[in-house]
Amino acid sequence: MVNHYRKHRAVKIKKLWGTVGILVISCCYASVMNAQQSNGKPSVQSKWVYIGADKTGNQAGKLIYKRTEKGDRIMDFSNAGYKGGGVALPQVPVKLRLAPVTGDNTAAIQAAIDRVGQMPLVAGYRGAVLLAPGVFDCYSALKISTSGVVLKGSGSINGKQGTVLQLKDKPHTAIEIRGQVKVTPVGKATKLEDSYLPAGADYINVQSSAGLKTGDWIRITKSVTPAWLHFMGMDHLTRNNKPQTWLSGALTTERQIAAVTGNKLMLEVPLADSYDSQYLNPPGVTVERIQYTGELSDIGIEDLSIYAQEQSGTISQRHDKAFTLSGVKDAWVRNVRILNTVNSISVTGRRITLDHVSIEHALPTTGAAKPADINGSGTQLLFNQCSIRGDNVFYFATGARVTGPIVLLNCTFTGKGWIQPHQRWATGILIDGCKVPDGGIDFMNRGAYGSGHGWAVGWAVAWNCQAAGYLNQMPPGSANWVIGSTGEKMYKPMPFDKSPDVPEGIYDAYETPVAPKSLYLAQLKERLGAGALRNIGY
């Protein structure tokens, strides 16, 4: 609980600042001395990702990555976001305009969405439905089921100048975007050749690359073997004397091929997890070409508010929700204000940006089980400058088998709540420059919580964050990092165990900001140039 966090002693802080001063003078390169500062505190270098300045100048200004003994590294997160990161959100032409009417506006808005959905695609978009300023009472969900459609309001502020979707009648989701995605294998599968493939790698070696070419999508599948479950300590979970299953079946990662050289496949997006043959053979890791069908794309929600009535109660009760994005790629939500919804946002698509989305709660939910305001269970997701205000909530959580990159960038969450990847092995998450002043950031083993959530996350990073506390734990054969961040270190055993404490994750430059100020923005600039930062508002 948040109220268990202890205050830091002033004496300790003074000693730390004395040490920081010495480090800045004696160790930092000129590029670091000119780096941006956080709260007036000078930045130092991280040991795990730092700005190169070698004597020859070959690596000057480049990001250098420290590796584990097996070659794992913090991944390049810069492919997170709309169109794969660094691409400006579009301004789609308005095709239809609507003003609010008395009573239920759902049918009128839905008819406009459907009509625009029948228009031809022009440069990838059909058009936008523009809602005039005012309050649109909605008694059921609005659904966008065609690519290239945008639902746009006239502002997300209070009063007559903004557009409000007011949720009424039975609890429901305000906006649903759901593609019917089917992933189909194509051709003959091959096997991974690497005996150990490190996290953060941008390549794989296969037994045969026959039939594979640049631009193809592949699915990498590793079985959840008894050996791997035992290695992870997840083969003996029990709750109330009943066995709990952490994972079964297989874990999959989907990637696009950037280049093929012999049997080596270069990947557009690095891997968020490692693959260790000693725990995965037999049957080994398979690689197969895939095709997507039924996926929606190029859809947006912007410049409006979603209001629900004040609601409390437990999460098992029905509640109003804000929006769902499932089975969709290259979508965005920007400048949206959400009030009083519960389990507000669910994003399970890919290459999606949520920009300046705010959530506020007048009342907390009750009970020990907490809702997740943002469920980020897709891949290549960017949550930029989002905010949440409320208590007894998970500000951000993930579901099972989630594969990054997923980035929370410069978000602020106030109240008694947590950023907490939630269950069954999510990988590749970056919490970058975020503030949780009264709550926590947890990279943890959730053990028998839920129905056996177990290790919730691996290969996660908190970079230059501020929180009341961190529960940063170290999964077997993996790592979690808290770098350049301030807040108290927490230590706990696996839930329902009295001891011992779960081994600590990696802390680097603890309570001292590091350069670069933002890891995501530095990685994006290095990959695509300064124009990519301007495209996303930096």
Side-chain angles (χ1 to χ4, degrees):
M1 297 295 293
V2 174
N3 60 8
H4 288 171
Y5 297 132
R6 299 184 298 271
K7 300 291 185 180
H8 293 291
R9 293 182 175 88
V11 173
K12 179 181 176 182
I13 294 174
K14 289 179 181 179
K15 289 182 178 179
L16 283 169
W17 286 125
T19 303
V20 170
I22 294 171
L23 286 171
V24 170
I25 293 171
S26 62
C27 299
C28 293
Y29 296 107
S31 59
V32 181
M33 294 296 290
N34 294 326
Q36 289 178 290
Q37 303 204 347
S38 175
N39 293 333
K41 301 176 182 178
S43 299
V44 299
Q45 294 270 37
S46 165
K47 296 177 182 177
W48 287 91
V49 186
Y50 57 92
I51 302 168
D54 63 4
K55 293 181 181 179
T56 65
N58 292 332
Q59 299 295 327
K62 299 291 185 179
L63 295 175
I64 310 298
Y65 296 83
K66 178 182 176 180
R67 296 179 181 270
T68 67
E69 291 182 0
K70 288 194 170 184
D72 308 289
R73 48 158 278 189
I74 290 174
M75 74 179 295
D76 184 346
F77 291 94
S78 67
N79 293 91
Y82 173 75
K83 298 286 185 181
V87 177
L89 302 181
Q91 298 291 338
V92 177
V94 173
K95 298 297 183 179
L96 292 176
R97 292 174 169 82
L98 286 180
V101 298
T102 302
D104 187 5
N105 286 255
T106 307
I109 300 173
Q110 188 64 59
I113 291 171
D114 294 344
R115 183 176 171 187
V116 171
Q118 295 174 353
M119 295 179 179
L121 288 167
V122 178
Y125 302 98
R126 304 180 194 276
V129 174
L130 176 62
L131 303 180
V135 177
F136 292 76
D137 291 343
C138 293
Y139 287 48
S140 57
L142 301 170
K143 299 181 180 181
I144 302 177
S145 55
T146 307
S147 296
V149 176
V150 176
L151 180 61
K152 180 180 178 66
S154 298
S156 59
I157 59 175
N158 286 316
K160 297 181 180 179
Q161 295 179 339
T163 299
V164 175
L165 300 181
Q166 179 69 60
L167 306 187
K168 289 194 170 183
D169 202 33
K170 295 180 180 179
H172 63 276
T173 301
I175 304 169
E176 296 182 357
I177 303 172
R178 298 182 186 273
Q180 303 301 314
V181 182
K182 184 177 181 181
V183 181
T184 306
V186 179
K188 185 179 180 180
T190 185
K191 292 281 189 178
L192 187 71
E193 188 72 9
D194 302 272
S195 60
Y196 186 85
L197 188 59
D202 60 358
Y203 67 89
I204 60 173
N205 292 293
V206 294
Q207 292 178 357
S208 173
S209 63
L212 298 175
K213 64 183 184 303
T214 300
D216 284 346
W217 283 91
I218 57 173
R219 180 167 57 194
I220 306 165
T221 302
K222 70 175 181 181
S223 296
V224 179
T225 64
W228 186 63
L229 285 174
H230 182 71
F231 174 67
M232 297 296 292
M234 293 287 99
D235 56 347
H236 58 274
L237 291 177
T238 60
R239 184 170 182 178
N240 298 326
N241 296 318
K242 296 180 180 180
Q244 304 291 301
T245 300
W246 177 54
L247 285 170
S248 62
L251 295 171
T252 61
T253 297
E254 295 161 1
R255 290 291 186 261
Q256 192 171 26
I257 298 175
V260 180
T261 304
N263 288 330
K264 186 173 187 176
L265 311 180
M266 300 303 298
L267 307 175
E268 290 284 355
V269 180
L271 296 172
D273 201 356
S274 62
Y275 297 78
D276 193 338
S277 63
Q278 68 175 314
Y279 303 112
L280 303 176
N281 288 334
V285 178
T286 61
V287 179
E288 56 189 343
R289 183 186 167 203
I290 58 172
Q291 288 183 341
Y292 292 95
T293 56
E295 190 175 34
L296 302 178
S297 66
D298 302 294
I299 293 174
I301 304 168
E302 53 190 37
D303 299 327
L304 52 81
S305 297
I306 299 171
Y307 288 1
Q309 300 298 317
E310 293 183 5
Q311 51 186 332
S312 186
T314 68
I315 63 169
S316 61
Q317 296 173 267
R318 292 190 63 186
H319 298 278
D320 286 313
K321 303 180 181 182
F323 55 82
T324 295
L325 284 79
S326 174
V328 59
K329 69 173 182 178
D330 296 327
W332 71 94
V333 181
R334 64 178 161 191
N335 301 329
V336 171
R337 181 173 183 248
I338 300 164
L339 183 62
N340 291 328
T341 57
V342 176
N343 284 322
S344 302
I345 296 170
S346 177
V347 183
T348 57
R350 59 193 178 106
R351 303 204 309 193
I352 295 171
T353 292
L354 270 63
D355 184 81
H356 287 85
V357 175
S358 68
I359 303 172
E360 302 166 50
H361 299 279
L363 299 172
T365 52
T366 58
K370 301 166 182 60
D373 260 334
I374 299 175
N375 170 19
S377 293
T379 187
Q380 293 181 256
L381 307 180
L382 172 63
F383 301 89
N384 179 45
Q385 298 187 64
C386 296
S387 64
I388 301 174
R389 180 173 59 83
D391 295 325
N392 198 40
V393 65
F394 292 114
Y395 299 122
F396 172 84
T398 54
R401 308 167 191 264
V402 173
T403 302
I406 298 171
V407 178
L408 275 66
L409 178 63
N410 295 331
C411 297
T412 300
F413 304 136
T414 56
K416 296 181 179 180
W418 294 263
I419 296 173
Q420 188 180 111
H422 209 58
Q423 58 170 301
R424 296 182 171 89
W425 204 235
T427 54
I429 297 173
L430 172 63
I431 315 299
D432 190 340
C434 294
K435 298 178 181 179
V436 196
D438 302 310
I441 298 176
D442 297 342
F443 303 148
M444 66 179 292
N445 183 342
R446 287 179 50 83
Y449 275 160
S451 54
H453 288 174
W455 275 111
V457 65
W459 312 113
V461 182
W463 184 276
N464 280 344
C465 291
Q466 300 174 28
Y470 302 88
L471 185 55
N472 181 32
Q473 299 179 335
M474 194 78 158
S478 180
N480 290 313
W481 292 267
V482 173
I483 298 175
S485 298
T486 60
E488 186 180 0
K489 297 179 181 180
M490 307 294 292
Y491 303 93
K492 291 184 180 180
M494 193 167 69
F496 304 107
D497 289 352
K498 294 182 179 180
S499 65
D501 288 342
V502 177
E504 183 181 71
I506 297 170
Y507 286 89
D508 182 32
Y510 176 51
E511 295 197 322
T512 306
V514 296
K517 184 177 181 181
S518 165
L519 178 59
Y520 174 79
L521 295 177
Q523 290 176 329
L524 185 63
K525 182 179 179 181
E526 185 163 289
R527 183 169 68 89
L528 296 177
L533 274 61
R534 293 192 292 270
N535 287 341
I536 64 171
Y538 289 92

